[in-house]
DNA sequence: CTGAAAGCGCTTACAG
DNA sequence: CTGAAAGCGCTTACAG
């Protein structure tokens, strides 16, 4: 049950100063090979591990980023989180999560920044109020990136699916099958009310569930899919292919949404001197043809 | 673009020492009402927020817990994560996530502890090796709790579903419907090989997917569910009820698994002097009767 | 190339 | 009840 070694223990063991130990770890090229090796040997012997809390305090950083997820239990969002995490794992940042659906009056979101717990944030939640956004302070545009959802305030970077292209592909697909009467069952548009509805839809497992629900509903009324009517969804959650009939969908690459958002945040955190231009990146979508659509 | 206020700024504004400010924030009952109010007023005036990194360093803690998830994009696990998060939000701990499926040779899991980045861990991953477990150090039994999965090493607390009871309920249900020929399609058992398989199954969306796949397969061979055969699943992922036919399942309360695991970890972190007895908590499961089973 | 010293922003014995 | 002082474990100008 020994106390963990600190930098002073290593310095003593190597016969150098703590400054030299610190340099061996962070800027080894500054030292002679001889000194460097002596430090490494001492590190090995003492089992020294740097204390991140101390390093962070001294460097005035937190070494963590926050990912704000509207609902952690919803695979639609957690797949994006997964993409974010895969990029962050390879960086020096830890990933901290918060769930907008879990109210916490004691710790408003901004406290993560104000209390120096995170250096930046990726938000999958586009329903942040202007007041909340103001709470992040003046430099927030360099520290916050939106993924999938976004806020209308244009100063924040965001990564989104190419929804427009997806919609076009869907229509073209149905048109090519000979369909001329095409309905669109949806909620989202541009105003705030429907934004809230969009939110609800996503929380109910994205629009695919609407397709599932639609098919079930049609079925109960004796209308068969795809014999009597073709149905397709937007989003390709994992079970779309197991559904009967397997659902034709426009597939969003949610993992990629997360990865690209992480890339942007990392880039911004590493060069936060001059404000970066706002940015909207579109991620390609894809049509996956299955059994729920067929020629007329 | 002002510098954020530090405790010294508040002390100056209130005409007291930094010690008094600190006490006003952490142990207000130690101060006279007059002093306390003066500090609160100064806090308000300066917009002071405590710097968590500094506090943590001084208190020799990290203020964060790690949740190790086998696959973040899998809703089976992220629902447990959601339960954990809901409890942690109300605590003083932040939730940090790691994904076992994202390899990171540079930062082994133990580095989260050894580098003082977390105070404890909840692992949803039962496939940790003994070597990895050793890396957490001698006090790890008080700092690690398993949820859903677990390791055979008995020194760690774990929270699990009552799988035995679930299996019994399933058999009783089918039996009561008149079924006498009952098959069991599964992987998991107690040895290491099948543990690995279990892992794979979970990553493929838990055993429910097996039920879905089974039904699809039966269907392709002209066998109808439930007309010719009844099928039921274990786990109740969100789409079980949207599947056609809606699937009868033994439902695991994954959210509860997470919440209980969080409770245990918080309890252990708050009293880590004497080693706690290891513990296995079983969480109740429930039979959800839907359309995929029917009387013979 | 290396070291002595200051300091990141807090908390907590210790003393009064 | 309150303050002066030490110290958590690092990093980084500064000086040589």
């Amino acid at each position: 049950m020994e106390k963990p070694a600190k930098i002073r223990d290593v310095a003593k063991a190597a016969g150098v100063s703590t400054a030299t130990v610190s340099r061996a770890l962070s800027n080894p090229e500054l030292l002679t090979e001889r000194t460097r090796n002596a430090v490494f040997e001492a590190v090995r012997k003492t089992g020294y591990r740097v204390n991140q809390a101390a390093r962070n305090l001294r460097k005035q950083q937190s070494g963590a980023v926050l990912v704000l997820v509207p609902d952690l239990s919803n695979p639609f969002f957690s797949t994006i989180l997964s993409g974010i995490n895969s990029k962050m794992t390879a960086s020096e940042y830890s990933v901290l999560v918060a769930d907008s659906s879990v109210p916490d009056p004691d710790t408003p979101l901004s406290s993560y920044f104000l209390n120096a717990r995170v250096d930046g944030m990726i938000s999958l939640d586009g329903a942040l109020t202007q007041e909340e956004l103001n709470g992040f302070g003046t430099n927030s545009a360099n520290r916050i990136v939106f993924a999938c959802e976004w806020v209308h305030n244009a100063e924040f970077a965001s990564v989104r699916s190419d929804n427009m292209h997806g919609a076009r592909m869907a229509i073209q697909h149905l048109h090519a099958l000979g369909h001329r009467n095409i309905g669109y069952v949806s909620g989202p548009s541009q105003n705030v009310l429907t934004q809230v509805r969009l939110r609800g839809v996503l929380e109910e497992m994205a629009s695919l569930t609407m397709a599932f629900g639609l098919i079930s509903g049609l079925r109960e009324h004796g209308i068969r899919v795809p014999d009597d009517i073709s149905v397709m969804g937007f989003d390709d959650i994992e079970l779309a292919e197991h559904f009967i009939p397997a659902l034709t969908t426009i597939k969003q690459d949610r993992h990629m949404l997360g990865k690209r958002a992480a890339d942007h945040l990392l880039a911004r955190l590493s060069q936060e001197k001059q404000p970066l231009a706002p940015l909207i990146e579109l991620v390609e979508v894809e049509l996956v043809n299955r059994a729920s659509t067929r020629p007329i």
Side-chain angles (χ1 to χ4, degrees), chain A residues 68 97-112 117 132:
Chain A
L68 178 63
V97 298
D99 186 325
S100 337
S101 72
V102 180
D104 184 11
D106 296 339
T107 31
L109 214 50
S110 58
S111 74
Y112 283 97
R117 290 198 286 189
E132 287 172 309

Side-chain angles (χ1 to χ4, degrees), chain A residues 199-270:
Chain A
R199 187 69 179 290
V201 167
L202 292 175
E203 284 172 5
E204 285 303 312
M205 192 98 81
S207 51
L208 186 65
T209 299
M210 295 172 60
F212 285 169
L214 178 62
I215 292 176
S216 297
L218 290 170
R219 200 164 182 279
E220 282 167 16
H221 289 77
I223 302 171
R224 294 161 304 166
V225 177
D227 310 80
D228 301 322
I229 188 173
S230 286
V231 173
M232 58 186 298
F234 206 107
D235 294 338
D236 188 51
I237 64 171
E238 287 69 12
L239 285 176
E241 57 180 313
H242 296 290
F243 198 70
I244 300 173
L247 197 70
T248 299
T249 54
I250 301 296
K251 174 179 180 166
Q252 293 193 60
D253 192 341
R254 291 171 282 147
H255 209 262
M256 181 59 73
L257 286 173
K259 292 202 317 198
R260 298 298 299 140
D263 284 339
H264 286 301
L265 183 59
L266 290 172
R268 276 156 193 261
L269 291 181
S270 69

Side-chain angles (χ1 to χ4, degrees), chain A residues 25-205:
Chain A
L25 268 34
S26 299
N27 298 95
E29 72 282 2
L30 293 180
L31 306 179
T32 61
E33 189 179 341
R34 189 183 151 74
T35 310
R36 198 191 312 144
N37 287 339
V39 174
F40 287 163
E41 172 61 14
V43 166
R44 201 191 52 66
K45 201 162 16 181
T46 57
Y48 171 74
R49 307 296 304 255
V50 67
N51 180 310
Q52 283 291 347
R55 173 180 280 178
N56 287 336
L57 175 59
R58 175 56 226 244
K59 296 180 86 171
Q60 297 286 74
Q61 62 184 24
S62 77
V65 299
L66 180 68
V67 180
L68 178 63
V69 183
D71 176 5
L72 272 172
S73 65
N74 186 330
F76 184 86
F77 298 117
S78 60
T79 301
I80 301 173
L81 173 60
S82 169
I84 293 170
N85 184 69
S86 71
K87 284 287 182 178
M88 290 300 175
T89 298
S91 80
E92 61 189 325
Y93 292 94
S94 302
V95 173
L96 216 130
V97 298
D99 186 325
S100 337
S101 72
V102 180
D104 184 11
D106 296 339
T107 31
L109 214 50
S110 58
S111 74
Y112 283 97
F113 282 89
L114 299 178
N115 292 5
R117 290 198 286 189
V118 302
D119 297 325
M121 172 173 86
I122 296 175
S123 178
L124 316 194
D125 185 345
L128 296 179
T129 66
Q130 193 57 48
E131 190 189 342
E132 287 172 309
L133 290 168
N134 290 341
F136 293 121
T138 53
N139 196 27
S140 59
N142 280 340
R143 303 172 158 280
I144 298 180
V145 171
F146 282 82
C148 190
E149 298 189 12
W150 64 91
V151 293
H152 286 148
N153 184 326
E155 74 177 318
F156 297 103
S158 67
V159 178
R160 322 168 179 181
S161 286
D162 191 342
N163 295 293
M164 179 68 81
H165 184 219
R168 287 205 186 106
M169 281 197 293
I171 300 299
Q172 285 162 7
H173 172 70
L174 293 170
H175 194 269
L177 291 176
H179 294 287
R180 292 298 179 270
N181 296 309
I182 298 176
Y184 176 46
V185 182
S186 177
S189 88
Q190 289 299 0
N191 77 54
V192 183
L193 249 187
T194 51
Q195 282 239 337
V196 175
R197 287 186 209 132
L198 164 62
R199 187 69 179 290
V201 167
L202 292 175
E203 284 172 5
E204 285 303 312
M205 192 98 81

Side-chain angles (χ1 to χ4, degrees), chain A residues 141-142 155 264 267-269 271-279:
Chain A
N142 280 340
E155 74 177 318
H264 286 301
R268 276 156 193 261
L269 291 181
Q271 47 176 299
E272 58 178 304
K273 296 303 170 194
Q274 58 275 51
L276 290 169
L279 161 155

